[in-house]
Amino acid sequence: MRDRRRLLATVLTATLLGVACAQPATKQPEVATPDPAAVKADIEAANARFLDAFKKGDKAPIMANYAADAILMMPGAPMSQGTAAIDKVFSDFLAQFALKESNLRTIDVAVGGDLAVETGTFEWTLTPKKGADLKDKGKYLTAWKHQADG
């Protein structure tokens, strides 16, 4: 009796699997592949606006780069998640420093669907409210997601 149940279960499973596989495939909507060069140009333009706002100490255009679910991972600091937390990071930063000089270089942009991952390098000089200028350089990685508003 146990062998008949096992055989029946095996046949039933194989039949259901065969029926499931025989169903016509649902056609997925075609998604246009974005032009990587155009995406890179858009990212470089956004970076230029970001640095310009940073130099002016204007937080609103800086925050325009961050979606509601964004995550910011500054070196030596806890992860900041969401626009309220990221806004506080930039408020605190701009209260202590001004961006004097900057050089941001996008090295590569990998594009897949509505996501792009940018890798790059930066060099900048920060002027603290008190004290001598600080020069910093490093590398960064940014994940960009195309939003409905462009």
Side-chain angles (χ1 to χ4, degrees):
M1 182 79 160
R2 185 178 299 173
D3 290 336
R4 286 182 75 202
R5 283 189 202 147
R6 184 175 292 147
L7 178 62
L8 181 59
T10 302
V11 170
L12 183 57
T13 302
T15 302
L16 290 174
L17 187 59
V19 169
C21 292
Q23 297 298 318
T26 305
K27 187 173 180 175
Q28 297 294 323
E30 291 188 31
V31 177
T33 304
D35 174 25
V39 172
K40 184 177 180 183
D42 287 346
I43 287 172
E44 288 173 332
N47 286 340
R49 289 188 302 272
F50 178 89
L51 288 176
D52 184 55
F54 215 124
K55 285 180 182 174
K56 293 176 181 174
D58 187 359
K59 193 175 53 163
I62 293 171
M63 291 304 300
N65 281 336
Y66 295 93
D69 59 349
I71 297 172
L72 179 66
M73 292 188 261
M74 298 289 281
M79 178 174 70
S80 302
Q81 187 167 7
T83 50
I86 294 169
D87 186 272
K88 180 168 179 8
V89 168
F90 285 113
S91 291
D92 293 348
F93 194 88
L94 291 171
Q96 298 176 46
F97 298 98
L99 182 62
K100 183 176 179 179
E101 298 173 2
S102 64
N103 180 17
L104 195 66
R105 181 172 167 244
T106 300
I107 295 181
D108 186 47
V109 175
V111 180
D114 63 350
L115 296 176
V117 177
E118 172 196 17
T119 55
T121 60
F122 71 90
E123 290 184 49
W124 56 25
T125 302
L126 299 170
T127 302
K129 299 297 179 191
K130 295 179 182 177
D133 286 354
L134 302 169
K135 292 186 182 275
D136 191 18
K137 65 180 180 177
K139 56 199 171 295
Y140 67 92
L141 178 101
T142 303
W144 295 84
K145 183 175 183 182
H146 187 263
Q147 302 291 316
D149 64 359

